[in-house]
Amino acid sequence: MDPLSPDQARLAGEQRKLRLQVLGLNTVEAEATFDRVARLAASFTQSPLAMVNFINDERQMFRGMYVPTASPDDKVNPDGGGIAFDLSNLSREAPGDYGFCPHVVAQGSQLALDDVFDYPRFKGNPLVNDLGVRSYLGTPLRDNTGMILGTVCVADFKPRAWDRGLREGMQELSQTLLSDFKLRDSLLAQQQELFAVFDGAPFPIMLTEGPNHLLRYANGKQGAAFGMVPQFSPGRMVLPGLEAIGVFNAMDDAYRTGQPTTLSQVSLTTYDDPRPQEFTFLCTPVRTSPGAPISGVLTVAMQSTGQSYPGSEQQAFAANVQERFERLGAMPDHRESAGYRA
């Protein structure tokens, strides 16, 4: 495969980033499914290092990882004499050009390095100097649309031969994740019906992703009241009015604790009404898929001006959509919503 030009590489990176954002995978948070695949890769190949690595246009995100520890109960090979060092604090992210995985993504095919020192192109890679890696086997990780999102890879601290059986086994292991990507897409499609309800709601609703609260969705009322901003932009930066009254602090609490958080009766002026109004914000944590870690926050702003508490009808609506959202259990892709435009 011919190498990509700088412009082609940049475009491919941006497309990967958008796809990862849509799938709710553009963060470094660990996920049990990917950690399990990494451990299976380590066990299958008898390797001390293994990762499920997603790569956007800026960085690598090791959402699945197996690393050696000093614990005698955590060995890939119980007969191998143990592991004499601890890499359990190894970061789950790296620069976009670090290591060998970016080469796998760029060339779109498996990369097997029996001994890194045999390849002048790779001998000086920071991964060799920082971790002492001497051999590497990386396989492209494709989603159900065929796009390469990253790699499933293993590495060793000594030279070794990656035979045909190991190479084919790694390819098969990477394909087991297709069902996860299909599930995410299926849940995203189902949520389009739910968000049709959100679009017609008489009060602001927004959905954010990750600890930085990147804006994934907003209904028309949210855009009219608090401002129309680009999708996937950091909420604190683009919605300073909500930041000033503490909405994002409440969202922090919901994201961190996994419990709904309420910010009661705060006063602010909206874009569609110059008079100060009181709102109560209900912040509910959500997940990208059933059993996954908290991935975002659904925030409903209920107008409470002139009332000691939000209207019962609004409360009932909020409780209903939050319940339905949690039942579906996935982050939506709603780039054409009334509030935000990609």
Side-chain angles (χ1 to χ4, degrees):
M1 181 177 178
D2 294 332
L4 299 177
S5 69
D7 286 344
Q8 289 173 323
R10 176 185 54 78
L11 179 59
E14 292 173 352
Q15 291 174 335
R16 278 197 311 277
K17 180 178 182 178
L18 178 59
R19 178 63 173 155
L20 290 170
Q21 288 174 323
V22 166
L23 292 173
L25 294 172
N26 196 50
T27 63
V28 300
E29 281 76 22
E31 195 160 326
T33 296
F34 304 129
D35 274 344
R36 183 165 54 250
V37 169
R39 189 175 186 87
L40 286 172
S43 179
F44 169 70
T45 62
Q46 292 295 285
S47 302
L49 290 172
M51 296 177 181
V52 177
N53 182 11
F54 296 96
I55 303 177
N56 62 23
D57 58 339
E58 299 174 338
R59 62 176 177 166
Q60 303 177 65
M61 299 160 288
F62 310 128
R63 292 181 65 96
M65 179 185 290
Y66 176 85
V67 297
T69 73
S71 170
D73 298 324
D74 193 13
K75 301 172 185 174
V76 174
N77 181 5
D79 301 321
I83 297 170
F85 49 86
D86 185 357
L87 290 179
S88 58
N89 291 324
L90 189 66
S91 173
R92 283 188 177 262
E93 65 179 316
D97 59 353
Y98 186 87
F100 309 120
C101 290
H103 297 280
V104 177
V105 171
Q107 68 187 27
S109 60
Q110 196 173 62
L111 176 63
L113 303 175
D114 294 348
D115 187 348
V116 175
F117 286 2
D118 290 339
Y119 302 86
R121 177 186 180 190
F122 299 118
K123 183 177 180 179
N125 195 286
L127 193 62
V128 178
N129 298 330
D130 294 348
L131 297 181
V133 167
R134 284 290 299 272
S135 54
Y136 169 89
L137 176 60
T139 300
L141 177 57
R142 299 179 186 271
D143 70 2
N144 50 304
T145 71
M147 178 178 288
I148 297 176
L149 302 180
T151 70
V152 178
C153 66
V154 293
D156 209 330
F157 303 112
K158 63 181 184 295
R160 58 180 294 179
W162 304 106
D163 61 33
R164 180 178 178 179
L166 293 178
R167 296 196 303 270
E168 290 180 349
M170 286 291 287
Q171 289 175 331
E172 292 177 2
L173 188 58
S174 70
Q175 291 173 3
T176 64
L177 288 172
L178 286 175
S179 59
D180 182 85
F181 301 134
K182 289 179 180 178
L183 174 61
R184 290 170 187 265
D185 272 336
S186 176
L187 291 169
L188 291 169
Q190 292 178 49
Q191 285 193 345
Q192 300 308 309
E193 298 180 5
L194 176 56
F195 275 78
V197 177
F198 284 21
D199 285 340
F203 41 84
I205 300 174
M206 68 175 171
L207 177 68
T208 58
E209 172 190 307
N212 295 323
H213 307 302
L214 302 181
L215 294 162
R216 289 191 64 102
Y217 164 84
N219 67 349
K221 187 63 176 177
Q222 167 80 18
F226 305 130
M228 297 179 63
V229 297
Q231 190 192 30
F232 297 127
S233 53
R236 276 191 162 91
M237 293 180 59
V238 297
L239 295 171
L242 298 186
E243 163 70 354
I245 62 173
V247 172
F248 287 98
N249 289 337
M251 293 163 65
D252 286 340
D253 290 341
Y255 186 87
R256 183 179 63 254
T257 66
Q259 299 296 321
T261 302
T262 300
L263 179 65
S264 299
Q265 296 184 322
V266 291
S267 180
L268 73 160
T269 300
T270 62
Y271 284 100
D272 57 353
D273 193 331
R275 298 168 300 176
Q277 302 175 67
E278 285 190 349
F279 287 88
T280 290
F281 291 83
L282 304 180
C283 307
T284 300
V286 296
R287 293 175 167 81
T288 57
S289 59
I294 299 300
S295 59
V297 178
L298 179 71
T299 301
V300 179
M302 299 185 296
Q303 187 175 348
S304 53
T305 301
Q307 304 179 62
S308 60
Y309 54 87
S312 59
E313 183 177 342
Q314 293 179 335
Q315 286 184 316
F317 178 89
N320 179 50
V321 295
Q322 287 164 2
E323 179 183 354
R324 292 172 64 185
F325 192 92
E326 290 175 343
R327 205 160 52 230
L328 284 174
M331 298 288 280
D333 173 26
H334 207 75
R335 280 167 285 168
E336 297 303 322
S337 68
Y340 299 141
R341 295 290 185 268

